[in-house]
Amino acid sequence: MILPIKNNVNCSIKFSADGSEKEKKVLEYNHDTLLNNNPATNARIGIDKLTNAFTVYPAKGLKGSKNANFYEFLTMGEVPYLIGSATLMAVFNAATKYFAPFARSKAAPLGNKMALGVVFYALGKSISKSFISTPVNLLTGVDTERPYAKVIYELPDDVNDTDIISIEHHKVFESVEFPRWDLLYGDETKGEKRNFRYDKIAKRLGMGHDLKDSDQEVKPRIKEIIIKTSLAKNISSYLWAATGVALAFQKPWENYFNVMTFKFWKGKEFLKSLQSFKKSFVQSAKALYKGEGAGITKHAGKILLGASVLSTIIGVANAVSSSQKPSKIDAADVIKKDDRYVVN
């Protein structure tokens, strides 16, 4: 097995087929690197993955590149999702201009609500995951969404190929069986204690402090938290997505559609549109909660919203609770000094 040479300088020297130095390329990372979990980093990762999903990864697949992998396949899954969502938003609204005036006045609000429902579905499904992961991180110290950059050394496609390094963005705990435990250890060359992250988690979990092997003590507990958190996010995210769709179909949104504009260069009109959106959002939320009609129909909004909130609360409570109770048996209860023991 040939391993890449690592150093402290984030650069790689390219060579041509004849052995002469051609170019020095500055790399963002020269080894797998733990990243901060914050909005700026997540936005940068999202843009990078989306850009590659539309450009680099399809090109590699069409060429039959030997470096195409499963990560790229999964990342490209965002493309049909976005195209399908845009198609669903446009297909109904595009036909309304051919309707008679009265039919158009009835169809246009419904089409706009459908488009808004697609947007709220996506937002509800993605944002709601933080409703679980953030409280779990605060209560346990385990950040289940912690990202890291993985450096991939690819095979050259031809003898003149020099750009053979790519960056993939993963999460430390995306695999329950094989988490990247190594990335959580401190860098002793920078003056960090080797187990300082595991020490913090152990202290937050009430397992004690200054443990001799805190990493070994907390790893089983971390795995349990990851599994429970993943289940909670899968359940609650779809409930919140459904709540978003229900919110988008409330009548007060029609007031916003009458003044809606995305032309930000028209200051007054765009500002009026934003103010109307805020007002319509609040009124629609109230309408969803109060409901219309009678019986189960009137309380459908309350039931859906309550189920979403309840799934989040139960999910967090279950994730931070532990089935791994410390033993109450002391060493004195196991070994009796008055008895004789034989070691085979």
Side-chain angles (χ1 to χ4, degrees):
M1 179 179 181
I2 301 176
L3 296 177
I5 298 175
K6 297 182 180 179
N7 52 49
N8 294 326
V9 181
N10 289 350
C11 68
S12 74
I13 300 176
K14 294 182 176 183
F15 296 93
S16 64
D18 60 5
S20 61
E21 182 181 336
K22 298 291 284 186
E23 180 185 354
K24 180 178 289 186
K25 177 183 177 183
V26 177
L27 300 177
E28 189 174 6
Y29 310 103
N30 64 352
H31 61 277
D32 293 358
T33 306
L34 192 66
L35 304 177
N36 293 322
N37 184 9
N38 55 46
T41 301
N42 292 331
R44 182 169 58 83
I45 291 173
I47 293 172
D48 180 73
K49 293 177 71 173
L50 187 62
T51 303
N52 288 333
F54 275 95
T55 57
V56 178
Y57 298 159
K60 290 173 69 174
L62 291 172
K63 290 192 303 181
S65 172
K66 53 193 171 185
N67 292 306
N69 56 33
F70 192 58
Y71 168 84
E72 297 174 0
F73 169 76
L74 292 178
T75 304
M76 284 191 293
E78 297 178 11
V79 175
Y81 181 82
L82 292 174
I83 294 177
S85 297
T87 303
L88 183 61
M89 294 167 66
V91 68
F92 189 90
N93 293 288
T96 56
K97 62 182 180 181
Y98 301 107
F99 295 172
F102 179 76
R104 188 184 307 128
S105 66
K106 297 295 182 181
L110 178 59
N112 288 329
K113 288 178 182 178
M114 289 177 63
L116 191 63
V118 172
V119 175
F120 279 4
Y121 176 90
L123 290 176
K125 193 170 182 297
S126 59
I127 295 175
S128 62
K129 293 180 180 180
S130 64
F131 298 166
I132 301 288
S133 59
T134 301
V136 168
N137 184 21
L138 292 174
L139 294 171
T140 66
V142 180
D143 188 356
T144 59
E145 299 293 324
R146 188 71 185 265
Y148 76 94
K150 183 177 180 64
V151 178
I152 304 296
Y153 294 88
E154 299 180 336
L155 297 172
D157 289 321
D158 57 67
V159 294
N160 295 313
D161 190 7
T162 58
D163 189 11
I164 59 172
I165 297 177
S166 67
I167 304 297
E168 296 180 359
H169 291 99
H170 296 267
K171 294 180 180 178
V172 174
F173 300 116
E174 67 183 10
S175 171
V176 178
E177 293 82 7
F178 304 103
R180 288 299 304 269
W181 300 119
D182 57 303
L183 296 176
L184 297 180
Y185 288 107
D187 188 349
E188 295 177 324
T189 62
K190 297 180 180 179
E192 297 175 344
K193 291 180 61 177
R194 176 174 170 77
N195 285 350
F196 82 95
R197 291 190 179 91
Y198 293 105
D199 291 339
K200 290 180 179 179
I201 295 174
K203 186 176 180 180
R204 192 73 63 85
L205 292 174
M207 300 175 68
H209 56 86
D210 296 330
L211 300 177
K212 184 178 180 180
D213 297 306
S214 59
D215 55 339
Q216 301 304 318
E217 295 285 344
V218 302
K219 283 179 181 179
R221 182 72 178 92
I222 291 175
K223 279 194 173 185
E224 181 184 15
I225 292 171
I226 296 168
I227 294 170
K228 290 182 176 180
T229 302
S230 298
L231 175 63
K233 286 190 292 187
N234 287 336
I235 295 174
S236 67
S237 64
Y238 283 103
L239 288 172
W240 282 109
T243 303
V245 174
L247 177 65
F249 275 82
Q250 300 305 306
K251 189 174 180 60
W253 284 113
E254 296 177 13
N255 298 325
Y256 166 67
F257 297 144
N258 293 331
V259 297
M260 177 179 63
T261 181
F262 299 105
K263 299 177 180 178
F264 58 88
W265 55 90
K266 295 185 177 181
K268 291 184 179 179
E269 294 181 13
F270 185 68
L271 181 60
K272 183 179 179 181
S273 176
L274 292 178
Q275 292 172 342
S276 179
F277 179 88
K278 180 180 177 181
K279 185 176 180 180
S280 297
F281 183 90
V282 174
Q283 292 177 343
S284 296
K286 292 179 179 178
L288 176 64
Y289 185 79
K290 291 180 180 179
E292 296 179 353
I296 191 69
T297 304
K298 182 175 179 59
H299 301 289
K302 294 187 184 70
I303 294 172
L304 183 57
L305 181 60
S308 302
V309 173
L310 194 61
S311 67
T312 301
I313 294 174
I314 293 176
V316 172
N318 182 55
V320 301
S321 64
S322 176
S323 59
Q324 302 176 20
K325 302 296 182 182
S327 175
K328 296 182 179 180
I329 300 177
D330 189 75
D333 299 325
V334 179
I335 301 176
K336 297 181 180 180
K337 297 180 180 180
D338 296 335
D339 290 353
R340 299 175 65 182
Y341 298 89
V342 178
V343 179
N344 294 325

